[in-house]
Amino acid sequence: MSKWQCDVCGYVYDPAQGDPDNGVEPGTAFEDLPADWVCPDCGAGKDEFSKLD
């Protein structure tokens, strides 16, 4: 699973860690995040993230 970086603040979503503070279990792919999930650091939407290689 790929990591994704917020274009606004630089936060990196790591699927291996998930986002447990916001109800996202470890192992959740970025593509499987709810449509209304936002960056936990700055509040940017999923459309403001870029896939990291």
Side-chain angles (χ1 to χ4, degrees):
M1 286 186 282
S2 299
K3 295 179 182 179
W4 290 71
Q5 184 172 29
C6 178
D7 297 331
V8 176
C9 73
Y11 168 84
V12 175
Y13 175 76
D14 182 352
Q17 295 179 1
D19 182 15
D21 291 341
N22 293 296
V24 178
E25 295 293 323
T28 303
F30 185 82
E31 295 85 355
D32 294 333
L33 291 171
D36 61 351
W37 182 86
V38 296
C39 176
D41 286 352
C42 74
K46 286 178 65 178
D47 60 334
E48 297 289 335
F49 278 72
S50 296
K51 188 175 185 179
L52 298 176
D53 293 324

